[in-house]
Every structure is written in structure tokens, then in C-alpha cells.
Amino acid sequence: MQQYGNTDEMDALIGRTLGQFIIRERIGSGGMATVFKAYQSTLERYVAIKVLPAFHAHDQIFVKRFVMEARSVARLAHPNIVQIHDFGQEDDNVFYIVMEYVDGGTLKDRLKMRALTVPESIDFVIQAAEGLGCAHSNGIIHRDVKPANMLLRKDGHLLLSDFGIAKMLEGTTNLTRAGTGIGTPQYMSPEQGTGQPVDRRSDIYSLGIVLYHCLTGRVPFNSDNPLSITVKHLNEPLPIENLRKMGVPYPVEQVVSKMTAKSPSDRYQSVDELIDALTAALSASHLSLPRWRSGIQPISAAVPEVPPQAHKASGPLLYTPPVGSQPLAPISRPSLVTVPCFRCGQSNPSDRLFCTSCGYELSDRRAAADRFMGPNGRPILARLSIQNGPMAGRAYMFHQDITTIGRTNGNDLIISGRTVSRNHARLWFDNGRWYIADMKSANGTVVNNVRLQPHVPTPLNDNDVINFGDEVVVFNIVY
């Protein structure tokens, strides 16, 4: 019985029939599913079919959640939500969801060309917020709000997609991981990135990051390490200066700042409140939406203008917000010093809790585990120096405790190579020796060209060469 999961196997579906739908071409793919354009001959129309990986077929918890969530999402009838036409299962191997076909690409495609104007950006975000409002009122949190999940018709009408799929996958037995969130790190809220419960305010945060991306042409936080991105969402202030460089009006800047507040209680508490704030910011900035849309009243031209001084990055903001509004109060910060990270050595401001480069806790509480001393009276520590791949040239130090190594959030050391498994290996210190063990990784852990047996402790010596899949690392003992 054929299993469908990787790209070649998914492409084998082209030309096949799923129910009454004939698969024509693959039009997109992601970590959760592959999307095809298909033809429904009975109604003479094209549809989009999202096919989920086959390995979920044998997980009964997933099957139950799939049916429940698909039915829930299908009831979301709203002009800014992609309509679900059907869902089903074929040959016990292929789960699929049939949706309306949208011919204008995604907001992600649009942003590849350029940053958007302020009116365009707010127009798209208001449309997305209206769709989210419908979902929230039905008890559904999106969890993966990002430009790739915002489909555009050729007339600029926006439709949200992928409702419920992240939640569907989150509860399956083979995907649940402590401290791991389902979503896209660049757009995830701090609470979602750290595996905490989420609500509608998490979607509002993600939508704020989308608005920032639209206005500046970039996401505010990025890295080649997903954990580093999460830590930046937790600790780093939003880079407001990029909004100012693009000439974003101060009232709009304030809305973006509140949408992306670190604490959910400091954000807008509902999308209705957000939409009111966005339309008010447009009015205060003497701007209007680029086209008429039902539900949003056209903005009068006779509105107060924002004084030019309000947006001078080099001087104080002189703009006085309207009566009744609550402008952001200036934050008084203590004097900062530089704190080096024990694990990666990078410098961090002293007001940070975690290193913005590797995610290690700057208080270095793990040093308490260093009880075994070397001949010079100092603790016997370990260092891993990465030799190739996207992290080549980086080195990381480790205390005498247990270190987990893998590709995803939740590990102590994240190596982002494609051949590294989610939970790849474990490094630890015991009775004067360093040890490593493979955690049943797909591509294996190799020490000096010898592949390790899963879960079997292997002692390490200074200058040993370790392979985590294709990633090469040199192990050193440090006193």
C-alpha cells in the first residue's frame, strides 16, 4: 500500500482522482501539507486540495481530531475565510481537505516584490482581522497567522486559510513535545513559542508581525536558529526604527507596538478593538483605505493632519494623540552593561534573561552542576565546534549536566541542518568522563567514523569528531 509523504510521493498524486476531484498540479507545499489544484467536473470548477502526510493515517487520535476540526472549520462562513467544500480519506493513506481555489497567489508572494504602502498594509490586515474575528467567535484560534496563509484574489480581496490544521496536528501522539509550539517562529507570539496555552491575543500578536512585515518588507526578528527567533520575540524590543525609516505615521506605529506587546494583557483584547484602532490610526494619519469594502466606512478627507514633527526619528515625538486615547508611555530603563553568554560567548545587554544568539539562560544556573574538577582545579567542561552547514564556525560550551541536541525547539543545542533529527542525541558528564548517546535519530550519530547504537553511552575523548547526520562537530574537553 503506497504511503504519501515526501515530494516525489506527493507528485505521484497528479492525475489521480480523490473522490470526485481530479488532481491537476501541485501549487504549494509546507511542513504540514501539500496543496494541489484540482478539477471538479460535476460543478465544472477548479478547487484547491490540501493533502496531509500519510503517516497520520495510523494515529487514531489524529483521525478523530481531523474530522472534528474539519467540520468546525467548514462552518466558518465569512467573506475573508477560504471556504471548505469537502474533506475525506482515500485508500486509508490520503487525508485531504477541499477548498475554494484562489487565483491571486498569497500575501507572501506579494511581499516578495516590495513592502506595501500604509493603506495597502492596513487594508490587508483589517481583512485578515475580520476573518479571525469570525473564527474567534466560534472558539477557533488560528495559531499560524502569516502571509503564506493569506490568499489574495486578483482584485485584492484577502482570504485566510489553514484554520484548525495546526490545532489538529498539535494534539496527535507523534507530534506532542514539551516546550514545542506548532506554528512559524518568525510570526509566533512569545507564549506560543514557549509552548504555553494560547488564545485570540496570540493571533493578534502574529497579525501585528504580519503588519510590520507589510510596512517594512521584513520580519522584525530572524535567525538561522528557530530557538533564537523565539528568544528574540520574548526579550527583544520591536525594531521600531525600521517603521520610521519607511515613513510609517506615528499613530500606525503605536498600533503595531500594541499588537506586538510581549504580554497578552498589553495587546488589543479582541479583533474588533484592533480594527477600531487601525481605522482611527488611518484617520489620524490623513490616509484612507485603497478601495471601498463593505463593513468599513470611507474615511472623510476633513480630518486632522499629523504634524510633520511627529515622525522625526532624530527628535521627540510632538504629535498629541486624540482625546481618550492612551499613547505609549516612555519606558525608563536602568543603565545597561554587557553580559557574555556562557554557552556561545555572545554579548548581551544586562536586561535580557536569555541569550539572543543561542537561547541560553544568562544567569547560568547550570554551573551549579559542575562538581568534578580537573588537574588545574577548574571544572571539566565540554565544547562542541560546528565545522560545516549553516552554523559553521560556531562553538558552544556545556556544563556537567545533560544536554539534548536536535533540530527543533525544546533542545538545549539546536543544530538546524536538514539531516539532524528533532531529538537527535544526548551529551552528559558522569564520574570524570563525557558521554554521548544517539536518540534513535533517522540519520545516525557517528563518532570518529563509527556509528553509535541507539541509547548506548559512548565515552568521548578530546578532539573526537562527531557527525549528527551530515553536520560535523569537533568535541573538546575544556578546563
Side-chain angles (χ1 to χ4, degrees):
M1 186 172 290
Q2 190 173 10
Q3 297 288 311
Y4 293 93
N6 63 37
T7 300
D8 292 338
E9 291 167 343
M10 281 293 182
D11 283 344
L13 288 172
I14 297 174
R16 277 196 53 186
T17 299
L18 297 181
Q20 55 182 306
F21 308 98
I22 304 172
I23 305 294
R24 295 297 194 199
E25 61 179 302
R26 182 160 63 95
I27 57 177
S29 60
M32 295 298 181
T34 301
V35 183
F36 297 92
K37 181 179 179 181
Y39 185 69
Q40 184 181 13
S41 58
T42 54
L43 294 178
E44 298 183 341
R45 66 177 178 182
Y46 284 100
V47 297
I49 294 187
K50 183 180 294 289
V51 180
L52 304 179
F55 52 80
H56 294 304
H58 304 295
D59 189 329
Q60 293 303 311
I61 295 177
F62 170 80
V63 172
K64 182 177 179 179
R65 292 181 68 90
F66 174 82
V67 174
M68 291 175 60
E69 293 295 333
R71 286 174 176 166
S72 297
V73 177
R75 288 196 291 265
L76 297 180
H78 190 275
N80 294 112
I81 294 178
V82 173
Q83 200 65 59
I84 290 182
H85 299 316
D86 195 8
F87 65 93
Q89 178 181 355
E90 187 81 7
D91 298 335
D92 296 327
N93 282 313
V94 182
F95 285 108
Y96 62 91
I97 299 175
V98 183
M99 306 171 294
E100 66 175 292
Y101 175 69
V102 182
D103 58 0
T106 67
L107 183 57
K108 179 181 178 180
D109 299 329
R110 185 75 62 91
L111 288 171
K112 288 178 181 178
M113 297 183 286
R114 60 175 175 85
L116 306 180
T117 66
V118 173
E120 286 176 318
S121 301
I122 291 182
D123 180 33
F124 286 137
V125 168
I126 287 178
Q127 291 188 72
E130 290 175 337
L132 286 174
C134 173
H136 293 169
S137 65
N138 283 275
I140 295 177
I141 308 302
H142 193 290
R143 301 165 184 251
D144 198 15
V145 175
K146 59 183 179 181
N149 286 337
M150 298 177 181
L151 308 182
L152 300 177
R153 293 185 181 140
K154 290 181 179 178
D155 64 356
H157 187 92
L158 183 145
L159 299 98
L160 283 172
S161 67
D162 276 4
F163 271 97
I165 290 182
K167 182 179 179 183
M168 211 183 299
L169 294 175
E170 190 176 64
T172 62
T173 55
N174 60 351
L175 281 179
T176 301
R177 298 280 190 276
T180 300
I182 300 294
T184 304
Q186 286 84 350
Y187 301 92
M188 283 167 58
S189 65
E191 62 271 20
Q192 185 176 359
T194 52
Q196 302 174 50
V198 300
D199 57 24
R200 65 184 64 188
R201 296 171 296 180
S202 181
D203 281 348
I204 289 174
Y205 181 96
S206 298
L207 191 58
I209 301 298
V210 172
L211 178 54
Y212 183 99
H213 189 174
C214 290
L215 293 168
T216 65
R218 68 182 79 174
V219 291
F221 308 118
N222 215 343
S223 172
D224 57 6
N225 184 325
L227 179 59
S228 294
I229 300 174
T230 298
V231 170
K232 289 180 180 181
H233 279 288
L234 280 167
N235 294 324
E236 288 288 315
L238 193 76
I240 292 295
E241 61 275 9
N242 291 329
L243 293 170
R244 294 172 181 170
K245 289 176 184 177
M246 298 300 291
V248 175
Y250 178 63
V252 177
E253 174 189 310
Q254 283 195 306
V255 174
V256 177
S257 295
K258 186 166 183 176
M259 292 175 73
T260 57
K262 305 299 183 187
S263 171
S265 62
D266 293 333
R267 301 173 202 150
Y268 298 103
Q269 300 299 292
S270 70
V271 292
D272 288 339
E273 184 183 351
L274 168 61
I275 291 171
D276 289 343
L278 286 169
T279 53
L282 273 176
S283 177
S285 304
H286 202 184
L287 298 171
S288 60
L289 292 172
R291 58 188 173 82
W292 171 264
R293 291 195 298 103
S294 60
I296 301 295
Q297 295 299 318
I299 297 173
S300 168
V303 294
E305 294 191 26
V306 179
Q309 301 97 317
H311 200 66
K312 289 183 65 177
S314 59
L317 297 174
L318 303 180
Y319 167 68
T320 302
V323 176
S325 65
Q326 296 182 349
L328 298 176
I331 299 175
S332 177
R333 292 183 177 272
S335 298
L336 300 181
V337 296
T338 298
V339 177
C341 172
F342 163 80
R343 178 159 289 173
C344 71
Q346 292 296 314
S347 297
N348 289 263
S350 57
D351 63 346
R352 301 290 182 264
L353 296 177
F354 299 91
C355 175
T356 57
S357 179
C358 72
Y360 184 72
E361 190 173 25
L362 292 174
S363 63
D364 197 22
R365 289 188 295 181
R366 291 193 175 195
D370 299 336
R371 297 185 177 91
F372 201 99
M373 302 298 166
N376 61 355
R378 296 181 180 179
I380 300 176
L381 306 179
R383 181 174 62 221
L384 295 180
S385 303
I386 300 177
Q387 306 297 303
N388 65 339
M391 299 172 64
R394 299 189 183 186
Y396 301 89
M397 298 276 287
F398 302 96
H399 289 298
Q400 294 174 9
D401 57 358
I402 298 174
T403 296
T404 58
I405 301 167
R407 192 181 71 244
T408 58
N409 285 1
N411 289 288
D412 299 309
L413 175 61
I414 294 178
I415 301 179
S416 55
R418 293 184 177 181
T419 58
V420 179
S421 295
R422 288 188 176 92
N423 297 284
H424 197 106
R426 181 174 294 162
L427 176 74
W428 74 96
F429 186 87
D430 183 50
N431 197 27
R433 292 294 303 269
W434 282 97
Y435 293 86
I436 194 168
D438 182 77
M439 302 301 294
K440 297 184 70 175
S441 63
N443 295 300
T445 302
V446 176
V447 177
N448 298 330
N449 297 317
V450 177
R451 182 161 179 156
L452 306 185
Q453 295 297 316
H455 301 296
V456 176
T458 300
L460 291 172
N461 298 303
D462 196 37
N463 290 317
D464 279 349
V465 177
I466 307 171
N467 291 69
F468 301 110
D470 292 337
E471 306 303 308
V472 181
V473 174
V474 173
F475 169 82
N476 290 113
I477 296 174
V478 181
Y479 297 105

